Amino acid sequence: MAVLPIRIMGDPVLHAPAARVDEITEEVRTLVADMFETMDAAPGVGLAAPQVGVGLRIFTYTYEDDEGLPWRGVVINPELWIRPLEPGYPDPDDESEGCLSFPGERFPLRRSDAALLTGVDLDGQPVRVEVTGWRARILQHEFDHLDGILYIDRLDDEDARVVAKIAKKRKWGKPGASWMPGVDDIDA
């Protein structure tokens, strides 16, 4: 297994819809193992294949609930259904999220409180995940990556201006920009 470099906001692979996985090969299995290692090293709660430069519809996730129980998995070719959003503005304390492809920052973003995800696992077996709360946020965030959407693309105008300033200061937003978990200082 290997830790992979994580692509930063300007890399074209992050802004294009990912392709379906036609066959679960050894290359796909190795990619998923490397994604878990990268996600854990970052550390993050989810990682989509485009974030490591691979335009395939795969993502990994991990999270501990309030009781410390693990929730970890991989979904290939996922489909996502969400409950309609509650109207209003996001609560900065309860609805902020970050992203390994825009590291070191968090912004409030309204997401659905419930999600249903289907797909297959590494053995080609059906996966069905029905969750609420933070877990629903994780699934929506990672699913967005597979459609070429970063969470910063969904921010209001004021936060989008802040994102642009940060990206300019850090010289992000260019094709090929990346960072290596455990090696690079992301707060440049």
Side-chain angles (χ1 to χ4, degrees), residues 37-58:
E37 187 165 338
T38 302
M39 177 179 63
D40 293 341
V45 295
L47 187 66
Q51 291 182 274
V52 294
V54 180
L56 291 176
R57 296 190 75 78
I58 302 171

Side-chain angles (χ1 to χ4, degrees), residues 6-187:
I6 295 176
R7 305 301 171 101
I8 297 176
M9 65 176 279
D11 195 295
V13 72
L14 294 173
H15 303 285
R20 289 185 57 80
V21 175
D22 293 327
E23 181 182 358
I24 300 171
T25 63
E26 280 310 307
E27 290 81 14
V28 168
R29 292 178 188 283
T30 299
L31 171 65
V32 169
D34 291 347
M35 287 173 62
F36 274 114
E37 187 165 338
T38 302
M39 177 179 63
D40 293 341
V45 295
L47 187 66
Q51 291 182 274
V52 294
V54 180
L56 291 176
R57 296 190 75 78
I58 302 171
F59 71 78
T60 59
Y61 58 88
T62 188
Y63 184 68
E64 282 190 8
D65 66 15
D66 293 337
E67 288 79 41
L69 299 174
W71 180 65
R72 190 170 173 90
V74 59
V75 182
I76 299 169
N77 297 330
E79 296 292 332
L80 179 72
W81 293 268
I82 60 173
R83 180 183 303 156
L85 293 177
E86 292 290 326
Y89 294 101
D91 180 328
D93 295 324
D94 294 332
E95 295 181 282
S96 288
E97 63 187 71
C99 182
L100 298 176
S101 292
F102 195 80
E105 305 296 333
R106 296 182 66 78
F107 292 92
L109 179 64
R110 178 66 40 111
R111 297 268 191 190
S112 176
D113 191 49
L116 168 64
L117 183 88
T118 61
V120 298
D121 65 14
L122 276 177
D123 295 321
Q125 296 302 305
V127 171
R128 179 185 166 93
V129 181
E130 192 166 355
V131 291
T132 59
W134 188 252
R135 291 176 181 190
R137 177 175 295 276
I138 292 168
L139 297 182
Q140 291 167 78
H141 180 110
E142 298 310 324
F143 188 83
D144 271 356
H145 278 297
L146 304 182
D147 287 337
I149 300 167
L150 298 178
Y151 92 105
I152 57 176
D153 298 331
R154 295 189 180 277
L155 299 177
D156 65 28
D157 290 342
E158 183 178 330
D159 286 334
R161 284 190 291 277
V162 173
V163 164
K165 288 178 184 178
I166 292 168
K168 183 177 180 181
K169 178 182 177 189
R170 295 182 179 170
K171 298 183 172 108
W172 293 349
K174 299 177 182 135
S178 66
W179 66 280
M180 183 63 80
V183 176
D184 293 333
D185 178 15
I186 57 172
D187 296 323

